[in-house]
Each structure stands twice: as C-alpha cells, then as structure tokens.
C-alpha cells in the first residue's frame, strides 16, 4: 500500500457502486443539522451577495449615485455589443484551450504519478502543488522573464546567432501558457485519485490479453478514470475563465478576458450595474458548464450501456 | 461440439523454465527454479504462502523481470518478449474483470485489441461463453454476476484467444468450498477437452493432487520435488514434502542392516529404538549404506490396527493415547515402546470402530507393512 495515497482526500474517481443514502436505518433528518454552520455561511456569504448582485445588475447606472433602483435590461443588452461578445467568446476559447492543454499534459502525468513509487509520488506532488502557494502575480512575472521579448528564450536564440524565436508575450498564447500552469494541478489531482483506484491487476489483465500500452491506456485507463478527468477538467475550466491578473499581465489589448472587463467597470468606470451583469453572465456560464458536463457524462454512459446491450443481444442471436 | 473443436486448434506448446531466479532484495529472492511442462499437461506449483509460486507465474507471464535463468515456450525464448506479446492466458485470483465492460465485452477484449473482425469476434465470444456455461450472461456487467461466474468469465476471456499456455494463479481460492470443488472438476474437464497446457498455482494440496498430471512442490523459493500426485504422496524425497503433503509420521533413524532387493533394517532413534524392516519398492532408489542416517516416512493410513495377519514383521503392541473422530476417518495417537508417538488413521466403519472399542485392557496390536515404509535422507 502507498502511504501517501491521496485517493481519500480528493474527489472524483472510478465508478463505484454507491451505497444507498441513509443506509443502515439511521435517520438522515437528524444529520441535516450537522450541515447547519455551512448553510449559514452559504446564506451569508453566497446567496445574499448573489441576490444583491442580481438586483444591481438590473438597476440603472447613475454617474454620481453609482446606481438607482430603476429596473432596466440595458446592462445585459450592452453585453451583446460586438466588443463584449468578442470578450465573451475569447474567454470561453481561452478556457477551453487551457482545459484541453491541461488534459493533454495532465492525464499522462497523473497516470505516471499514480503508478510511480511512493518517493517519486511525494516529490511529484510537491512539485505539482508548490506553485499554487505562489501568487499568480509572481508567477506571471516568472513567465515574463522566460517568454518576454528579451526573456531567457530569446536571449538564448540571439546568443546562438539567430533571430528572436518567441513573440508570445502580450498575446492569447501567453495567457494560455500561464493559465495551463495555474490549472494543471486542478486537473491532475482528481485524475490521479481516480487512476489510483484502478487496480493494477486490470492493467496486467489487459496486457496479458494483448493490449499494447497505448491500447491499455485508451481502453482501460481512460474510461475508468473518466469521472476524475471530467471533474478535473471542469475545475480547470472554471478557474481559467474567471482569472483577472493573468490576462492583465501576460496578455495585451487583444486578449482581455471577461474578468478584466468586470474589474474595469467595477474599479475604473464605477459602473456597478454593468459589472454585475457581466458577473451574472460569468456565473451562468459556469453553472452551464457544470450542468453540461454532468449531462454529457450521463448521456455518454447511457449511450455506452445501450450500445453494449445492443451488441450483446445481436451477438447472442 | 464445434466450439471445442475450434478451440482445440490452439497452438499447443511445452514450457521449459530453466534456472529461473528473481531477487527482490538481498534477503528476499526466489529460485533458482527449473521445471518442464509437457504439451497438454496440467502442471501445478504447490507450496506454502510466500514460497514463490506467484513470482514464478508472473515471470512466465512477463509482469516480473527475472534476475536470471530462461523461460522457453515451444522451444523459443519467452523471457525476452514483452508481456502483451506473449499471447499467454492468465487467470488472476481476483478475476480482474474490466468493470466498464459487459461480460461479452470482457471476453471479447483480447479479440478486439487484435482487431478481429466483429462477426467473427461475436461468434468466438459466444462459443467461449457457451464453453464455460454462461451463454446467457453476455450482456450482464461483471458486478451483476456471482464470484463463480466471474471466475468462468475470466477463464473464457483467456481461452477465447486459444493460448498455447494457460496460467492460473489460485483461481479457486476466492470461492466457497462447494463451488470450489465444482469448479475444480469443471476446470479439469475443460483442460482435458481442449488439451490445454496449463500451469496451476495453489497452496491447497488437495486441489493440486486432485487436478494435476504432475506437480512441483515449492518451499522457500526452491523446488523440493517434481512428480505425479502419487509419487509426491507415496514417495516424497524430502522431509518438507513428506510433512507438507497429507499427514505423515517421520521417524529419525539409522540404517542398521542392508539386505538384498531393497530390504533393510532401520533402527529408530532414541533409547531402545526398535528395528523396523523396510522393503523399498521400485523407483525408490537404493538403500543407503549401514550406519547412515535416514528418516522413515509412514502414512497414518498404513499403520494397521488390531490386525492378526500372518506377516509378523513390524508388529508391536501399542497403547492408545488419543482418539479423534474426523467423520470419514478416525485418527488415533499410539504409543509403543521404542517408538516415538505414532499417528494412525482408518476409515470410520462399524467393524473398525468395534475393533478399537474391543481393545480391552488398552493395548492394541499394530502392524506396519515393510513396503509401506518410505525412506528419505535423514
Ligand atoms: N513486489 C515484491 N517486492 C518484494 N518482495 C516480494 C514482492 N512480491 C513478492 N515478494 C516476496 O517474494 C516471496 C515470494 O512471493 P510470492 O508472491 O511469489 O509467494 P506465493 O508463493 O505466491 O505466496 P502466496 O501463496 O501467499 O500467494 C515472498 O517472500 C514475498 O514476500
Ligand atoms: Mg501467490
């Protein structure tokens, strides 16, 4: 057994039969009260401010009073202006590309971490999680030093007698690079937890039945780790579309994200109603993403089982 | 049955393991181990926990890299081939069915990674499931079938690929007793039908003796003896085998006299140790020279109680110390002058029980046939 297993601490994992709720006859109603403190916190810190935010988002902007309580849809209508639509689309694009990059880099990494020895796992987890303790501002400056016009990479290329190699600073690419670094651990941890739960004997069985390493990964590891990968991907996507600092420091004029616009409206333009409308839109996207990923997972599972059933009954006939 | 004929076409092969060693650390190592498995043979590796059975099997399957030695399948080197190209069947103790695939998909997994075309795959999966008696369960999930059925699915999943060699690692040990006996018979029947070369790992001696054509007894990472079940039971070559397989009285002794035709006198160790007459049968080797140490192996069922036969050799009067009824058998601990405590057993029949009950003042005539005493190095 691996002493540093994180399965028990991180959510997500291979499908396991779920015990019925409130099993063994204890009354679930009695335990509801245990969640009391959290419910209070949720009300005070989330529901009330959210309601407030929602209310402000339909109020009218006023240059001096900030807003007046006259209901209007103007703020939402403004979101449909080409500039803001473009920001929205860009935000989603950056989020998706970041999530995809995290998956491509993170799933093999999680697999390797899950199957390496306990020492390597300890070191690997430390290296993975440590950057999360450093502020995003500092991390962005770190990237600037590496990727900048006169950064390390370009200094090397010039030093070797070439042109500058990299022109990514202040582009969307730079934002994605920095975001991948921020989001990678969020994807890797749940994925690692679900891969750790796949018994090694399944891999050996697959190899014994003739599956090459690639087939083994595609046919056994990926489907069994899918729930972990999905929750990690949702997490990475949510964090990626909500950032402010990273696009502000790494991106240029053409790579502003919705977080930057909210910040500007809130702090600079002092247009709270419009900022609120954008925030509500962002929250809606987040909720939509969560619901869509759940629905997609359920549909995929249904489809798979249905297909398996049809194939089996065709085979039996 | 067509399924059987189809599967008979399996490439059969013999296995040779030569000087296989696996060192886990400076203290823990297995081997060297050498044995041959003939084409179509059911060969068992039997031994106590930790003796290296699984290690040996995993080296053959390719999941463990041997430290030394070679493995040959049908005369060709196997140990240099990666696990997924060895084409061997392996059934795990834990079954290791894929939980995200149905029973039929599990069985078809090997065919599908080999890109066998769908119609042929369906046919072969159906045949394999029929072979193990699960024709109707193809659409179930592994979680929806019993342990014994899972075991059969695991078996079908290997057999459907017609492997030249089938490796079984304690496949029955997770089943309950009744099911285990049933699966034992079924497995053996199937293996004979298919002429499947099989290596079976178990720590259960009954299982190994009942199923095997030949078996190897392992202890501490080494092979103690290889032979047919009868050879292993009747003519163990080491003290470990004699003690591990069934029950045995093992008496330390020295050779007192050596006669012709494998006849010898054996002086049992201890004060006033008696001399036992021994007549070694064919295949038991020669009697060692007088004065050398030897141990006599006497199976409890060969100690005859209350018998008045004409042959007076090895006959004593013994005191009954303890009687244990084990159902079918009754086990008696005897004490005779010049002998260590002796275990005897007999079938619990009415006459035998009556004879034991009628022993009167407490002593009993005991006889051991000279041919039933087996010698091992002392
Ligand atoms: N991965 C490993 N690392 C270190 N030592 C190991 C490893 N696997 C097995 N061993 C050791 O090698 C020896 C043989 O183990 P093996 O699993 O082959 O025994 P076995 O005969 O199959 O026993 P059992 O009947 O309990 O399954 C044991 O002493 C075991 O502790
Ligand atoms: Mg074992």
């Amino acid at each position: 057994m691996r002493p540093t297993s994180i399965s028990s601490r991180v959510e997500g994992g291979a499908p396991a039969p779920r015990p019925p709720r409130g099993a063994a006859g204890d009354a679930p109603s009695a335990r509801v009260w245990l969640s009391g403190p959290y419910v209070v916190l949720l009300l005070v810190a989330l529901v009330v401010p959210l309601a407030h935010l929602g209310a402000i988002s339909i109020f009218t902007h006023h240059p001096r009073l900030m807003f007046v309580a006259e209901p209007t849809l103007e703020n939402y209508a403004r979101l449909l202006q080409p500039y803001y639509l473009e920001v929205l689309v860009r935000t989603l694009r950056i989020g998706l590309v970041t999530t995809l990059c995290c998956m491509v880099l993170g799933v093999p990494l999680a697999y390797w971490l899950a199957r390496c020895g306990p020492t390597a796992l300890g070191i690997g987890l430390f290296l993975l999680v440590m950057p999360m303790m450093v502020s995003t501002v500092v991390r962005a400056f770190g990237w600037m030093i590496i990727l900048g016009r006169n950064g390390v990479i370009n200094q090397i290329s010039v030093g070797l007698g070439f042109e500058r190699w990299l022109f990514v600073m202040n582009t969307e690419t730079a934002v994605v690079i920095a975001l991948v670094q921020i989001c990678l651990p969020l994807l890797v941890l749940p994925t690692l937890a679900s891969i750790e739960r796949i018994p090694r004997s399944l891999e050996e069985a697959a190899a014994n039945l003739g599956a090459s390493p690639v087939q083994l990964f595609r046919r056994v590891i990926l489907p069994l780790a899918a729930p972990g990968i999905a929750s990690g991907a949702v997490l990475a996507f949510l964090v990626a579309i909500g950032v402010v600092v990273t696009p502000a420091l790494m991106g240029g004029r053409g790579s502003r994200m919705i977080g930057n616009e909210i910040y500007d409206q809130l702090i600079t333009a002092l247009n709270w109603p419009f900022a609120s409308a954008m925030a509500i839109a962002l929250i809606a996207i987040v909720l939509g993403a969560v619901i869509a990923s759940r629905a997609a997972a359920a549909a995929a599972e249904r489809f798979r089982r249905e297909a398996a059933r049809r194939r089996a009954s065709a085979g039996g006939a | 049955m067509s399924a059987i004929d189809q599967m008979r076409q399996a490439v059969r092969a013999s296995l040779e393991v030569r000087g296989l060693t696996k060192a886990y650390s400076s203290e823990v190592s297995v081997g060297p181990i050498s044995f041959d498995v003939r084409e179509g043979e059911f060969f068992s590796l039997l031994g106590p926990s930790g003796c290296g059975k699984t290690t040996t099997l995993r080296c053959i399957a390719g999941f463990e890299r041997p430290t030394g030695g070679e493995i040959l399948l049908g005369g060709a080197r196997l140990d240099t081939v990666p696990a997924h190209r060895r084409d061997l069947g392996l059934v795990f103790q834990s079954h290791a069915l894929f939980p995200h695939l149905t029973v039929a998909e599990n069985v078809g997994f090997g065919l599908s990674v080999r890109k066998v075309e769908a119609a042929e795959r369906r046919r072969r999966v159906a045949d394999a499931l029929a072979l193990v008696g699960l024709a109707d369960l193809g659409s179930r999930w592994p979680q929806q079938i019993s342990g014994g059925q899972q075991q059969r699915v695991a078996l079908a999943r290997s057999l459907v690929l017609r492997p030249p060699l089938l490796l079984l690692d304690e496949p029955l040990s997770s089943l309950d007793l009744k099911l285990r006996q049933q699966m034992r018979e079924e497995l053996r029947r199937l293996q004979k039908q298919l002429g499947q070369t099989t290596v079976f790992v178990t720590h259960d001696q009954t299982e190994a003796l009942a199923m095997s054509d030949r078996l190897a007894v392992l202890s501490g990472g080494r092979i103690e003896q290889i032979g047919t079940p009868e050879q292993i039971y009747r003519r163990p070559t080491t003290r470990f085998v004699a003690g591990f397989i069934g029950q045995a009285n093992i008496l330390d002794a020295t050779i007192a006299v050596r006669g012709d035709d494998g006849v010898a006198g054996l002086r049992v160790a201890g004060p006033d140790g008696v001399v036992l007459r021994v007549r070694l049968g064919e295949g038991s080797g020669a009697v060692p020279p007088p004065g050398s140490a030897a141990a006599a192996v006497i199976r409890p069922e060969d100690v005859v109680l209350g018998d008045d036969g004409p042959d007076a050799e090895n006959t004593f009067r013994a005191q009954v110390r303890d009687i244990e009824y084990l159902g079918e058998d009754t086990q008696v601990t005897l004490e005779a002058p010049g002998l260590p405590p002796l275990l005897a057993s007999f079938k619990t029949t009415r006459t035998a029980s009556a004879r034991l009950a009628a022993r009167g003042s407490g002593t009993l005539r005991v006889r051991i046939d000279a041919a039933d005493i087996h010698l091992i190095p002392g």
Side-chain angles (χ1 to χ4, degrees), chain A residues 44-60:
Chain A
V44 173
L46 193 69
V47 176
V48 172
L50 213 57
H52 190 57
L53 202 67
I56 296 176
S57 77
I58 53 167
F59 288 167
T60 309

Side-chain angles (χ1 to χ4, degrees), chain B residues 7 13 37 69 81 110 118 142 181 189 209-210 222 252 259 316 332 345 353 371-372:
Chain B
M7 295 193 143
V37 181
V81 180
Q181 283 171 347
R189 177 183 55 76
L209 292 175
R222 305 289 180 108
D252 286 312
F316 331 92
V332 184
S345 76
S353 301
D372 287 333

Side-chain angles (χ1 to χ4, degrees), chain A residues 11 18 20 32 36 39 66 69 93 100 124 164 170 199 227 262 269 281-282 286 293 308:
Chain A
E11 209 195 324
R18 222 174 261 191
V32 159
V39 170
M66 197 86 77
R93 183 173 59 227
L100 277 178
R164 284 193 170 89
N170 305 325
I262 296 177
L282 186 61
V286 165
S293 77

Side-chain angles (χ1 to χ4, degrees), chain B residues 24 28 30 47-56 64 169-170 201 203:
Chain B
Y24 285 113
V28 185
V30 171
S49 187
C51 70
K53 308 177 295 283
T54 299
T55 301
T56 307
E64 219 66 80
D169 190 359
E170 312 219 12
V201 159
H203 62 254

